Structures are given as structure tokens and as C-alpha cells.
Amino acid sequence: MIDSLTRPDPDQIRDWLGDVPDPEVPAVSVMDLGIVRDVQWQDSELVVAITPTYSGCPATSVIAFEIEAALRARGIDRLRIERRLSPPWTTDWITQEGRRRLEAYGIAPPAESAGGPSPFDRFLRKPLTIACPRCRSENTDRVSEFGSTPCKAQYRCRDCLEPFDYFKCI
Amino acid sequence: MNAQDALVEYLLRLGDNALILGHRLSEWCGHSPALEEDLALSNVALDLIGQTQLWLNLAGEVEGRGRDADKLAYLRDARDFRNVLLVEQPNGDFAATMARQFYFDAWHYLLLHGLTGSTDPRIAEIAAKGLKEVTYHLERSQEWVLRLGDGTEESHRRMQSAVDDLWMYTGELFEGDEVDQVMVRDGIGPDPATLHEPWLGLVRATIEEATLTLPQPGWAQKGGKRGIHSEHLGYILADLQFLQRAYPNATW
């Protein structure tokens, strides 16, 4: 039983959550992706607020489950996972460490800041230059706007010929 | 019509549009012209089904009769569905699927954009979430209209037929009724008529750039918002609802 004297503080809990991998991109943690929006004690109950990356992302319920399991393993027996939609998740919340880990794993991190021109100003949009995570060449092509998960697109490198995933910017 | 009934009706329309189009797109899974397109169409479908859950759960909550998104999706009959006719139209060839998507995405983008300013914060936050996804959908479907329209002789011909054939289902998107009047009065949602000009501007510019011809204004098919559907919806529901109808309350 955790009381107010022995309960771990939220920073400690965030540290622990840094060891919980994203189920679809296990190279990064749920903290790296910016999915965990809030960690706080409400009396003797711990409330962790998480936000989905995409409305239909099937990983969201798995993430909630894994966070719960990780914290229970640390002895926190009273906790609640709260889903928070607003403000909507953006790739700008991926940490520098998260971007580095994505690239090392072979996924090109988001190339720009979210919030570009609207599709109603199509002619203002510029094609993105995405560097190959393997050989760093910028001579790459987009193969499809979507990849193996809703958060990624597919590219290929014209120099080292390697296909790779690009983490879309939203 | 009281404000609560109108809001439930409005939320069902938002949820049913996403549900039926999401289901239609999922029919391409395993059948697309290329693996990349198979993945892309399934991902767009997934976004739409995710949005469906948010809208229909809220509809059930406002209604207050103990129905959640699953009950609303699986246990209503065709006359109780409130989606526009455009989204239930068959997939046809790839050009028809992408033309349907482009018409819908351009409207959906404008609608969600308007809803981000809703006086109802529950609606504004779902719209803000969905808008990010729909922005991407629109960029993609617009690219396909351009690529197929300004492509080979055959792709041009097919895309022209697609934009022509689906045109009569676009009028319904901009027609308001008493539900919309209540939404406008309460600051919940935009007047559908105000979406027409920016929609037409984008559609015209895209169709012209794609070397296609903009269809002429003509007879508009409508009725979906009131539950009067084309014959296609019944077949969709037979597929979508079979499992829950045959094995009530089945879970996995």
C-alpha cells in the first residue's frame, strides 16, 4: 500500500515510463513519443494521461495496458489511465532523444515542424527532402504516403537502394 | 426538434459518414492495384474508423440510452443510418474510389475545420484530432485526381467518368435542414451552405489542373442525412453487421 510519504514522485514515474517501449516502434519509449501528457497523484491514486497518435491507432489500448503493467510492477497498485484528446498529438512532441533513436532504428524522423500550409494552398507546399537513415543521402523518393502504421510513409533511397519508413509530420 | 435530439442526429451523421466510408475503403484490403495503395487505403480506413468511434461514442453519451459506438454501428438498420449517399457508393475502379475520396475529403476538411471552433468542447477536440488526419487524406486524394487525370489516355478517361458519375452525390453535402439550423443557432457547427464556395474552388482548380472537365451543375441525389439511402447501404450493413447479428454480443 502506497501512502503519501512513500509514494514515488511524478518525475521518478516519468523516468520509469522511459523504459516502456512503443508497441509498434519498440526503439522509442512512450515518453520519447510524447504520448504521456500528464502524471499526477490524486490523493492516493496515480493518474496517467495519454493521448493517441492517430484516432484509430490500434496501439493506444496496448500502450495503456503496458503503462499500467509497468507501474504495477513498481508497486503502484492504485492507478488510472486517462485518455486525453486535446490538444491533439503532434510529432513536434517527439523528443530529441526520440528522433535520434528513430533514425538509429532505420526510420527517418519527421522533417519539419507540424502546421504547414493547408491543402487549400497546395501550391505553397514544397516537396520534403528526407534523408536516408542508412546512408544519409538526400536522393530519396516517396513510394507511398502510408507505411506499415498510420504514422509512417514509405520512401526509398536512390543511392543505397534501401527502402525505409519515414515518420510523418502531423 | 429539441437541442439534444438535434445534437444526437448531428453526431450520428458525423460518425456514420466516417464509418461507411471507412468500411468501403477497407473492402480494398488485399485487392488494391499495388501493395503501397493497399496499405494506404487501409490506413485511411483506419483513421476513419477511429474517428467513427469518437463520434458515435459521443452520440451515445448525449443520447443517454446506454448505446456506445459498437451498438450504434452494429445494431441499427439502414433507415437509422445518417451518412450522405456519396460515401456508400461502390468502390468501382481505382479512379472512382479516389474521386469519391477527393470530393469527400475536401468537404470533410472544411467541415472539421469549422467544427474546431464549436461551442461544444467535446466536438471541437474530436474535430481538431480528425482534421490532422483528414488534411493528409485530402493531399493524397487530390494527388491521385491529378495523376490519373493528367496521366495516360485510359487513366484520364476513367477519372473523367468517375468525377462525372459521382457529381450528383455532392449536392447533398451542402444542403442544410432543421438539424443544421439548430447547430448553427447554438454555435455547434457551420452552415453547410457556407462550405460550398471553398469546396468548389478547390475542386475546380484541381480538376482543371488535372486536364479534366468540371461536371455541370445538375440534379442532386439526396436523402442519406434523413435515412433514405441507395440500395448499396443494405449490402454494406449485411457485411458489416453479420457477425453481431448472427452471434449477438460476440467479442474477441
Side-chain angles (χ1 to χ4, degrees):
Chain A
M1 183 68 191
I2 286 180
D3 61 38
S4 56
L5 290 175
T6 58
R7 70 187 188 193
D9 72 34
D11 283 340
Q12 172 68 66
I13 292 163
R14 284 194 179 85
D15 259 9
W16 290 340
L17 294 179
D19 294 332
V20 177
D22 177 81
E24 284 182 343
V25 189
V28 291
S29 76
V30 294
M31 295 305 292
D32 290 332
L33 283 177
I35 295 169
V36 176
R37 303 311 302 153
D38 198 21
V39 177
Q40 58 166 299
W41 288 98
Q42 289 178 6
D43 299 324
S44 60
E45 184 179 48
L46 182 71
V47 181
V48 178
I50 61 171
T51 191
T53 52
Y54 284 77
S55 305
C57 182
T60 310
S61 54
V62 181
I63 288 168
F65 176 79
E66 290 189 347
I67 287 175
E68 190 170 339
L71 294 178
R72 284 195 191 286
R74 297 280 186 174
I76 296 173
D77 48 7
R78 291 200 56 204
L79 80 155
R80 182 158 52 88
I81 310 286
E82 195 180 272
R83 195 191 58 179
R84 192 175 289 179
L85 270 190
S86 180
W89 182 79
T90 159
T91 38
D92 294 350
W93 292 345
I94 300 178
T95 61
Q96 284 304 319
E97 180 60 14
R99 296 174 60 90
R100 198 192 56 74
R101 287 183 186 168
L102 281 174
E103 197 166 23
Y105 189 63
I107 298 173
E112 55 176 22
S113 185
S118 102
F120 283 75
D121 303 312
R122 196 175 73 85
F123 303 104
L124 299 176
R125 291 206 312 263
K126 294 193 195 81
L128 295 173
T129 306
I130 309 296
C132 169
R134 186 169 173 273
C135 74
R136 310 270 161 187
S137 164
E138 293 188 346
N139 185 17
T140 60
D141 273 343
R142 187 173 69 186
V143 180
S144 173
E145 287 91 339
F146 287 93
S148 53
T149 64
C151 54
K152 287 177 276 167
Q154 283 180 74
Y155 277 71
R156 76 179 148 213
C157 177
R158 296 172 70 90
D159 284 332
C160 75
L161 305 179
E162 191 73 5
F164 64 91
D165 272 336
Y166 163 63
F167 209 105
K168 281 153 42 181
C169 189
I170 70 163
Chain B
M1 178 174 273
N2 73 41
Q4 188 195 2
D5 290 349
L7 183 55
V8 172
E9 190 76 10
Y10 193 68
L11 291 166
L12 289 175
R13 291 174 182 181
L14 289 164
D16 290 345
N17 283 333
L19 173 61
I20 299 303
L21 186 56
H23 185 82
R24 270 292 187 226
L25 291 175
S26 75
E27 292 171 1
W28 274 106
C29 189
H31 303 276
S32 297
L35 179 61
E36 290 76 12
E37 288 315 310
D38 211 290
L39 284 171
L41 289 167
S42 301
N43 271 298
V44 175
L46 184 63
D47 284 345
L48 290 170
I49 299 301
Q51 294 170 22
T52 301
Q53 287 178 331
L54 298 172
W55 291 126
L56 292 186
N57 276 330
L58 182 56
E61 188 185 313
V62 174
E63 183 190 53
R65 285 168 47 198
R67 297 201 286 183
D68 61 5
D70 283 346
K71 286 203 169 69
L72 287 166
Y74 293 129
L75 301 175
R76 280 178 300 155
D77 210 345
R79 285 297 294 266
D80 296 322
F81 272 74
R82 295 293 183 258
N83 58 282
V84 292
L85 299 175
L86 176 66
V87 297
E88 70 198 39
Q89 297 311 305
N91 286 337
D93 60 12
F94 191 67
T97 290
M98 294 323 292
R100 183 185 64 198
Q101 198 65 32
F102 175 59
Y103 284 159
F104 181 79
D105 289 342
W107 173 78
H108 201 199
Y109 177 92
L110 293 164
L111 176 61
L112 292 180
H113 190 269
L115 289 172
T116 57
S118 177
T119 52
D120 187 325
R122 299 169 298 182
I123 290 178
E125 72 176 23
I126 297 173
K129 183 78 199 158
L131 184 62
K132 283 173 172 266
E133 294 155 4
V134 170
T135 301
Y136 203 75
H137 301 172
L138 174 56
E139 289 174 10
R140 186 183 129 73
S141 57
Q142 185 186 31
E143 293 293 336
W144 270 112
V145 172
L146 291 168
R147 200 190 299 187
L148 294 177
D150 192 10
T152 65
E153 203 176 309
E154 184 177 3
S155 74
H156 177 91
R157 177 180 60 75
R158 285 178 180 242
M159 186 47 87
Q160 185 67 57
S161 305
V163 295
D164 289 344
D165 292 348
L166 291 164
W167 186 252
M168 66 177 156
Y169 300 105
T170 58
E172 185 181 25
L173 304 174
F174 306 101
E175 194 156 286
D177 61 8
E178 58 174 342
V179 172
D180 294 296
Q181 283 164 16
V182 176
M183 295 304 112
V184 173
R185 184 197 71 198
D186 295 347
I188 290 172
D191 179 348
T194 61
L195 308 181
H196 187 249
E197 196 186 313
W199 180 86
L200 187 60
L202 183 77
V203 168
R204 178 185 283 121
T206 306
I207 283 184
E208 284 173 0
E209 194 190 334
T211 73
L212 298 163
T213 307
L214 187 73
Q216 292 299 306
W219 169 254
Q221 295 284 1
K222 54 198 176 205
K225 287 169 76 166
R226 290 179 291 118
I228 313 296
H229 292 277
S230 61
E231 71 275 24
H232 305 298
L233 185 66
Y235 291 96
I236 293 175
L237 296 184
D239 189 17
L240 174 75
Q241 298 182 335
F242 171 80
L243 197 121
Q244 280 302 319
R245 299 289 194 182
Y247 305 95
N249 304 317
T251 55
W252 66 4

